[in-house]
């Protein structure tokens, strides 16, 4: 059965969430068409969809690439996740037993992945928890949106060399689910806010570079270098009638 554009885009997003596609990775149409055994038209449709979702970008002459989020885009992505995820928890009256079982099963897979050497599988599960939570809280539309934002924040973590620990992420998830299970939605919301804030603060985001720094340093005044002393030409001792303007001219 031929693969669809939706399936290709889903595979690319999964690869991003598993940290198998790095920021700036090139996505050539022909190699992808060979890989998925489909036409370039199908591949182009998949990439166009991902571009609309903010996962890839295209250059007229260079081709398709995984996005490289700027610092401003990173900040906006985390702000968007706060709005969505905290709002979802706040608007939920009660979570049913089936949803809790699904969340707990996901947590068990996270814990098992932490003991394995497959970093990609672990990274995918930790990010997919947030998508799973949205689904369990009954909003599949926002779950799809969160999948894209989670993929973007995964790229951000790779680009800005996050120091956030995977074990800590899993423990945060466990506490959030426990709060939901006991019906303490306020605590779950606070824990989610803390979790997202911790992930964001672990990014090694540097202050914006000064584009004039090198030129500014090169052209800075040399304050510590003494100014050269100029020799004064003495006026002739026997010329008492020398004009003052002539004397100043000699000094200058």
């Amino acid at each position: 059965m031929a693969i669809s554009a939706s399936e290709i885009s889903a595979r690319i997003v999964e690869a991003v969430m598993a940290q198998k596609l790095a920021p700036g990775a090139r996505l050539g149409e022909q190699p992808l068409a060979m890989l998925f055994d489909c036409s370039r038209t199908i591949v182009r449709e998949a990439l166009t969809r991902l571009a609309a979702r903010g996962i890839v970008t295209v250059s007229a002459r260079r081709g398709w690439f995984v996005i490289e989020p700027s610092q401003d885009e990173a900040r906006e992505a985390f702000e968007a996740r706060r709005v969505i995820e905290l709002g979802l928890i706040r608007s939920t009256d009660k979570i049913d037993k089936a949803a809790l079982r699904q969340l707990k099963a996901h947590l068990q897979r996270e814990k098992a992945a932490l003991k394995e050497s497959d970093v990609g599988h672990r990274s995918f599960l930790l990010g997919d928890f947030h998508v799973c939570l949205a689904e369990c809280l009954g909003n599949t539309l926002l779950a799809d949106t969160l999948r894209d934002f989670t993929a973007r924040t995964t790229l951000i973590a790779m680009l800005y060399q996050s120091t956030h620990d995977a074990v800590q992420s899993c423990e945060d998830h466990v506490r959030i689910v426990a709060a939901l299970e006991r019906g303490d939605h306020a605590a779950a919301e606070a824990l989610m806010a803390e979790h997202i804030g911790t992930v964001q603060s672990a990014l090694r985001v540097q202050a914006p570079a000064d584009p004039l720094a090198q030129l500014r340093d090169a052209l800075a005044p040399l304050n510590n270098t003494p100014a050269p002393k100029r020799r004064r030409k003495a006026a002739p001792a026997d010329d008492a009638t020398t004009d003052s303007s002539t004397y100043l001219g000699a000094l200058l």
Side-chain angles (χ1 to χ4, degrees):
M1 184 177 177
I3 193 167
S4 67
S6 296
E7 291 171 318
I8 294 174
S9 59
R11 289 276 292 276
I12 292 173
V13 171
E14 287 176 3
V16 168
M17 291 175 64
Q19 298 189 4
K20 292 181 178 180
L21 279 176
R26 191 174 188 277
L27 301 170
E29 290 183 12
Q30 187 58 38
L32 287 174
M34 294 173 63
L35 178 65
F36 291 111
D37 191 22
C38 65
S39 68
R40 291 181 62 172
T41 302
I42 298 295
V43 169
R44 194 175 301 117
E45 182 182 347
L47 294 174
T48 300
R49 292 182 182 184
L50 290 176
R53 292 161 59 182
I55 306 299
V56 305
T57 186
V58 63
S59 170
R61 295 186 178 182
R62 298 174 61 235
W64 301 88
F65 296 86
V66 178
I67 62 164
E68 295 182 86
S70 67
Q71 292 185 20
D72 285 340
E73 289 169 334
R75 176 182 51 78
E76 290 174 358
F78 278 100
E79 288 177 356
R81 282 189 57 181
R82 283 190 186 89
V83 171
I84 294 171
E85 299 192 59
L86 302 189
L88 272 172
I89 294 173
R90 189 181 307 126
S91 62
T92 301
D93 294 328
K94 186 179 181 181
I95 184 168
D96 60 40
K97 292 182 179 180
L100 280 172
R101 284 196 299 270
Q102 185 177 342
L103 284 170
K104 288 181 177 180
H106 194 285
L107 292 176
Q108 290 303 316
R109 290 194 293 273
E110 283 186 26
K111 293 175 182 177
L114 289 173
K115 300 176 183 178
E116 300 171 356
S117 58
D118 190 343
V119 176
H121 184 225
R122 179 188 70 195
S123 298
F124 174 80
L125 286 172
L126 290 172
D128 195 53
F129 167 81
H130 298 270
V131 181
C132 179
L133 178 60
E135 292 173 340
C136 289
L137 294 179
N139 198 314
T140 55
L141 180 61
L142 285 180
D144 289 338
T145 303
L146 264 179
R147 184 176 288 106
D148 291 347
F149 278 118
T150 303
R152 289 171 70 88
T153 50
T154 299
L155 291 169
I156 291 163
M158 295 172 69
L159 187 61
Y160 295 104
Q161 302 176 350
S162 173
T163 59
H164 190 65
D165 183 56
V167 174
Q168 182 183 352
S169 269
C170 184
E171 290 174 351
D172 290 348
H173 296 168
V174 170
R175 286 194 291 269
I176 291 167
V177 172
L180 288 171
E181 184 175 21
R182 64 177 183 266
D184 192 347
H185 290 75
E189 183 180 342
L191 286 167
M192 181 62 80
E194 181 183 354
H195 171 63
I196 295 174
T198 301
V199 173
Q200 184 177 7
S201 64
L203 301 177
R204 294 176 178 173
V205 178
Q206 299 178 349
D210 180 2
L212 299 178
Q214 185 175 1
L215 192 60
R216 193 188 310 280
D217 291 342
L219 300 181
L222 304 179
N223 294 327
N224 296 327
T225 303
K229 295 182 179 180
R230 297 185 179 183
R231 294 176 177 272
R232 293 187 177 183
K233 184 182 291 186
D238 57 345
D239 188 2
T241 62
T242 302
D243 182 79
S244 61
S245 61
T246 304
Y247 177 66
L248 288 173
L251 289 177
L252 295 174

